[in-house]
Amino acid sequence: MPLARSATMADVARLAGVSVATVSRTLSGTRSVDPVMQRKVTEAAEQLGYRVNLVGRALRQTRTSTVGLVVPDLDNPYFSALAQQLSRAFSDPGIDLLVFSADGSLETEARGVRSFLGRQVDALVLIPVHEQRSEPSVTAAAAAVHTIQLDRRVQGTAASYVGVSNRAGMQLVRDHVATAVDVSTHPVVYVGARPDSSSAHERLDGMRQYFSPDVPTLLGDFSAAWGREAAARILADGWTGATVVTAADVIALGVLAHLLHEGRSVPDEFRIVGFDGIGAAALAHPSLTTVRQPVERMARSIRSLIESDDNASSHWFKPDLVIGETSPAGTP
């Protein structure tokens, strides 16, 4: 049995009683069409099951209406939340966001960039795996297509950057601790990530700048497993009370889970402060005090940069401190 022929634009035009040009203008959305004509065309297209040929449109317009997003991994719920916000930001103009996870690998990151460039995406949003060793991938992307680094960056490339001021975030934590914590009973300890990425590096620098170069520090990775391990080390070292400042909410969740599992009181014995404010933060119980990144505004900023074809601008955003039950406000 022969396969049924797919409906064509000419079929839609005959059924609607209009020209093929009118069908093209209506379905492409490139020019205004009389509402009556528009209704006839859309109803005819639905009746025939006609679908716009996106590949053909891309070849004609030399655009694919796609944006690629390369994230370091999808285990960290913060990156998943960023992908969701970007998807929402691009939904109105009908741009498809394609997501690729590097799974923490520089080689996989490079493959993801090559794959997106081969698919001729209109723009590429990249959260680099490494502050320095991701430079070849970022440079290759920026040389081929409008590239915006998000959250993390490799300095000295042609790519734009959209992100939060990590040092400003740590200053907010310092101000909170100064007004709400008795550091004689809750001394500060920092649980962060190794400074392989700009975000980890800048948050560590911010801690040392706003607290002390000698602040007790444990460095691992951006994971709940590392947070649990760090909390176990803190208890093993004999800490009976502390203010645990973390580099990310996902780490804070691990710290919180282990302390509660060991029967420790939060916030009476231990206070916990996170960083990011989306994704993992909603899972915390008790609720998490955290530095929140304005990801909705960041996503809209990326859309504006891409729509304006601005390849040079970088946008920095100030974070906010969200007070939760793990480190309540008040006078120490």
Side-chain angles (χ1 to χ4, degrees):
M1 179 181 293
L3 295 175
R5 182 178 66 87
S6 298
T8 66
M9 198 174 291
D11 296 329
V12 175
R14 280 193 294 272
L15 183 59
V18 299
S19 68
V20 172
T22 298
V23 173
S24 177
R25 288 196 300 271
T26 301
L27 298 181
S28 67
T30 56
R31 292 172 58 185
S32 60
V33 178
D34 178 79
V36 174
M37 293 291 189
Q38 185 178 37
R39 186 171 62 255
K40 288 182 178 180
V41 170
T42 55
E43 289 176 352
E46 290 177 3
Q47 183 177 337
L48 293 172
Y50 176 78
R51 296 291 179 268
V52 177
N53 185 339
L54 296 177
V55 174
R57 176 189 291 182
L59 291 173
R60 292 189 298 274
Q61 298 179 349
T62 66
R63 295 181 68 88
T64 60
S65 296
T66 57
V67 171
L69 170 64
V70 180
V71 300
D73 62 74
L74 287 172
D75 291 329
N76 187 336
Y78 174 65
F79 296 136
S80 301
L82 279 180
Q84 180 64 51
Q85 290 297 332
L86 279 172
S87 180
R88 289 173 179 168
F90 287 116
S91 63
D92 285 345
I95 295 175
D96 294 327
L97 182 74
L98 310 179
V99 182
F100 184 96
S101 172
D103 199 22
S105 164
L106 291 165
E107 292 76 14
T108 305
E109 177 182 64
R111 180 164 62 85
V113 169
R114 290 195 300 270
S115 177
F116 279 139
L117 296 183
R119 286 169 170 76
Q120 297 184 324
V121 294
D122 297 327
L124 185 61
V125 180
L126 180 61
I127 307 175
V129 168
H130 197 278
E131 186 176 20
Q132 291 151 356
R133 287 186 281 167
S134 290
E135 187 274 334
S137 291
V138 177
T139 297
V145 70
H146 188 175
T147 300
I148 301 171
Q149 299 180 94
L150 172 62
D151 183 61
R152 300 177 176 185
R153 62 195 175 113
V154 175
Q155 297 192 53
T157 68
S160 304
Y161 175 73
V162 171
V164 76
S165 171
N166 290 298
R167 284 184 173 83
M170 287 307 177
Q171 185 176 15
L172 290 173
V173 175
R174 189 275 313 273
D175 294 344
H176 167 69
V177 170
T179 59
V181 178
D182 184 349
V183 294
S184 66
T185 58
H186 293 77
V188 174
V189 57
Y190 179 62
V191 180
R194 289 179 293 273
D196 295 334
S197 66
S198 62
S199 56
H201 194 169
E202 291 165 5
R203 291 171 197 180
L204 176 60
D205 288 349
M207 279 299 298
R208 291 171 172 169
Q209 176 183 352
Y210 291 113
F211 286 91
S212 165
D214 301 319
V215 63
T217 299
L218 294 87
L219 300 179
D221 58 23
F222 287 106
S223 71
W226 162 238
R228 290 191 293 270
E229 179 183 339
R233 292 188 193 180
I234 290 170
L235 295 179
D237 288 342
W239 292 68
T240 58
T243 299
V244 185
V245 178
T246 68
D249 291 343
V250 67
I251 298 175
L253 280 180
V255 171
L256 177 62
H258 187 80
L259 291 176
L260 294 178
H261 177 74
E262 293 299 314
R264 303 307 175 100
S265 174
V266 178
D268 294 335
E269 295 177 278
F270 288 89
R271 286 171 168 250
I272 303 172
V273 180
F275 201 116
D276 285 333
I278 63 169
L283 303 176
H285 182 74
S287 60
L288 187 63
T289 293
T290 185
V291 176
R292 189 182 192 281
Q293 302 199 49
V295 291
E296 299 88 351
R297 291 168 53 207
M298 291 160 59
R300 291 195 297 270
S301 174
I302 289 174
R303 171 179 160 178
S304 296
L305 284 174
I306 292 173
E307 288 180 337
S308 65
D309 220 15
D310 186 347
N311 295 312
S313 294
S314 292
H315 293 177
W316 295 82
F317 292 85
K318 291 183 178 180
D320 298 306
L321 186 71
V322 178
I323 301 297
E325 296 169 336
T326 60
S327 185
T331 302

